Amino acid sequence: MAEGSTREINYLRISVTDRCNLRCLYCMPKEGVSFLGHEDILRYEEILRIVAIAVRTGVLKARVTGGEPLARKGIVDFLRRLHEMNGLHDISLTTNGTLLEACAEPLRDAGLKRINISLDSLVAEKYHTITRGGNLDAVMRGIAAAERAGFSPVKINVVAIRGFNDDEILDFARLTLDHRFQVRFIEFMPIGNVSLAEGFTYYPNDEIKKKIETLRPLAAAPPNSLNTNGPARIYRMEGAAGEIGLISAMSHRFCDSCNRLRLTADGHLRTCLLSDDELDLKKVIRNGCSDGDLEAAIRGAISEKHRNTLSDRHEMARKNCARGMSAIGG
Ligand code: SAM
Ligand code: SF4
């Protein structure tokens, strides 16, 4: 660990594609997105090599994301190989759920145990609007398939947007009464091309909590009760099977405790969601580096992360961030 810091940088988010079968209003423009070319995307072998070296530097947990990870060919086999890797203790996947029905079982058989499904509305028309064409039924079938396949917990990520889905907070919370879901409310972040989400504002988690408490008392859940981690504050409604998570990216800052690295689909290592200071690992590996060189490069980036705590630059960085969420992976 670098001098002066107490954080272990042990969590890697891996974006396997910048492409997506949806166009969420707050994440991607409708048209005119320039996607990475085939050659610019890391091959699975290259990702696995980077992850194996990242494990040597202390990475213990990985999350596979996108774009839409299930839209990339060969993803199930990639996850199998990731699970076969020594040293990774916890692997999870974030998906929009639209393609999940058919792959929930194969994913489980590949070793995956934890899954996050993004879902911003339980009303078909609103879901169609926010995703620019998504089919709510397909996601609900995906969630049911994940539950049947035995994923535990199934986490449902809801980006909370004032005036769009704040009227559905209790409906989302009710999902946890009978299901062992963890419904996680994430404050909308106007990141990257902010004009995409003009007029969207986040709905503060403290207000969400108050709203849910009108339904039933909410108590802090015991640590790791449904295998939780990261910046979420976790609660359980009285008598509920599942849990509520609150992720306050806007109203509470958690830069000082951030343990994350991000690998973009084009092989750039990003040590902060909001900072475009990236290390081009694709270039490093395609130049024929040794494992030792690769490890040194990753360790260098981690030391930089220890030196920079972005809390003070948070606002500015968020606005200037060149990559959108779909290109970073959330
Ligand atoms: N396509 C997958 C999905 O939607 O789950 C994985 C990639 S997506 C970029 C990862 C997560 O980032 C999703 O839960 C999405 O809702 C969230 N996200 C995207 N843009 C966001 C924003 N501006 N503020 C907060 N969360 C955002
Ligand atoms: Fe696609 Fe996920 Fe972005 Fe929506 S949030 S456009 S599903 S990458």
Side-chain angles (χ1 to χ4, degrees), residues 11-20 26-28 36 62-69 92-96 116-118 157 159 184 186 189 191-192 260-270 272-276 278 321-330:
Y11 179 32
L12 177 66
R13 293 178 72 103
I14 305 163
S15 173
V16 293
T17 178
D18 62 335
R19 292 175 191 243
C20 186
Y26 52 74
C27 182
M28 274 176 122
L36 295 167
R63 172 172 298 279
V64 174
T65 175
E68 177 44 44
S92 52
L93 174 83
T94 299
T95 170
N96 63 33
N116 288 39
I117 300 160
S118 304
N157 286 358
V159 176
R184 298 149 62 87
I186 302 168
M189 297 181 75
I191 177 178
R260 298 174 176 200
L261 299 171
R262 290 174 167 84
L263 182 64
T264 64
D266 58 349
H268 288 227
L269 190 69
R270 211 174 157 95
C272 170
L273 169 66
L274 300 174
S275 166
D276 290 322
E278 297 177 345
C321 183
R323 286 191 197 253
M325 281 288 205
S326 62
I328 301 171

Side-chain angles (χ1 to χ4, degrees), residues 52-109:
I53 300 296
V55 165
R56 285 199 208 164
T57 71
V59 166
L60 298 170
K61 298 187 273 187
R63 172 172 298 279
V64 174
T65 175
E68 177 44 44
L70 298 185
R72 181 162 173 185
K73 223 171 134 193
I75 188 72
V76 172
D77 196 49
F78 167 70
L79 277 155
R80 176 174 301 111
R81 293 170 70 189
L82 206 55
H83 279 89
E84 284 164 2
M85 189 177 288
N86 286 332
L88 271 185
H89 294 205
D90 182 10
I91 300 168
S92 52
L93 174 83
T94 299
T95 170
N96 63 33
T98 53
L99 306 171
L100 184 58
E101 186 182 20
C103 30
E105 284 194 16
L107 285 168
R108 180 208 54 205
D109 295 344

Side-chain angles (χ1 to χ4, degrees), residues 115 129 216 253 304 312:
I115 197 157
T129 301
R216 286 198 188 185
R253 303 284 149 79
E304 274 305 305
D312 46 342

Side-chain angles (χ1 to χ4, degrees), residues 13-198:
R13 293 178 72 103
I14 305 163
S15 173
V16 293
T17 178
D18 62 335
R19 292 175 191 243
C20 186
N21 58 341
L22 297 180
R23 292 285 181 279
C24 297
L25 287 176
Y26 52 74
C27 182
M28 274 176 122
K30 186 176 178 189
E31 293 160 343
V33 198
S34 53
F35 292 112
L36 295 167
H38 186 66
E39 264 309 296
D40 293 324
I41 300 263
L42 283 185
R43 294 187 292 277
Y44 285 134
E45 289 68 28
E46 292 174 319
I47 301 177
L48 289 164
R49 180 174 177 212
I50 291 171
V51 178
I53 300 296
V55 165
R56 285 199 208 164
T57 71
V59 166
L60 298 170
K61 298 187 273 187
R63 172 172 298 279
V64 174
T65 175
E68 177 44 44
L70 298 185
R72 181 162 173 185
K73 223 171 134 193
I75 188 72
V76 172
D77 196 49
F78 167 70
L79 277 155
R80 176 174 301 111
R81 293 170 70 189
L82 206 55
H83 279 89
E84 284 164 2
M85 189 177 288
N86 286 332
L88 271 185
H89 294 205
D90 182 10
I91 300 168
S92 52
L93 174 83
T94 299
T95 170
N96 63 33
T98 53
L99 306 171
L100 184 58
E101 186 182 20
C103 30
E105 284 194 16
L107 285 168
R108 180 208 54 205
D109 295 344
L112 190 70
K113 294 184 183 60
R114 305 205 300 109
I115 197 157
N116 288 39
I117 300 160
S118 304
L119 176 60
D120 299 333
S121 177
L122 296 166
V123 179
E125 231 178 273
K126 281 169 76 179
Y127 181 78
H128 189 270
T129 301
I130 191 96
T131 57
R132 291 202 187 88
N135 176 352
L136 177 66
D137 254 10
V139 185
M140 298 313 279
R141 289 197 306 271
I143 292 174
E147 211 181 2
R148 277 195 309 275
F151 285 97
S152 180
V154 171
K155 294 185 182 176
I156 298 178
N157 286 358
V158 186
V159 176
I161 303 164
R162 192 180 288 283
F164 172 71
N165 57 6
D166 46 337
D167 57 338
E168 294 187 59
I169 286 165
L170 296 186
D171 294 333
F172 274 111
R174 280 189 196 97
L175 292 178
T176 68
L177 290 175
D178 299 326
H179 299 268
R180 287 188 84 243
F181 295 155
Q182 187 183 93
V183 172
R184 298 149 62 87
F185 294 98
I186 302 168
E187 289 175 348
F188 160 69
M189 297 181 75
I191 177 178
N193 184 352
V194 283
S195 62
L196 289 180
E198 231 163 74

